[in-house]
Amino acid sequence: YTERIAAVRVTDSVAGLDENDFNQAFPAGEIAEALGSAKSQNICLLGALVEALKLPDFDWEGLISAMVPPKTVEMNLAAFRKGREQAQ
């Protein structure tokens, strides 16, 4: 249920953005590479979206920890946090 609410809020938030908002570049690849792996850029973008779209409180870090391979948890959490930080 919580996931459906979050999805609706994301959809509503994105619908209110104009085309210029989508044209702003976010250096997720650079951030991920600086943290140790370009593969974590998607998690970096997730962090940025959570922050930029003011998504509801949710255990995002718990979700990430449960979904990524165990050996990549810390790197992905760092990418998520850095994405949120950069989006502020």
Side-chain angles (χ1 to χ4, degrees), residues 18-74:
D18 67 26
E19 124 180 21
N20 291 326
D21 293 318
F22 286 105
N23 291 330
Q24 294 181 347
F26 187 81
E30 293 174 23
I31 293 169
E33 285 181 27
L35 293 171
S37 174
K39 291 181 180 181
S40 64
Q41 64 185 302
N42 58 336
I43 302 297
C44 181
L45 284 172
L46 174 63
L49 286 170
V50 165
E51 190 66 33
L53 297 176
K54 307 292 185 221
L55 295 181
D57 288 336
F58 182 77
D59 185 10
W60 295 104
E61 292 192 13
L63 176 66
I64 292 165
S65 296
M67 298 302 293
V68 300
K71 67 180 183 176
T72 68
V73 169
E74 290 306 316

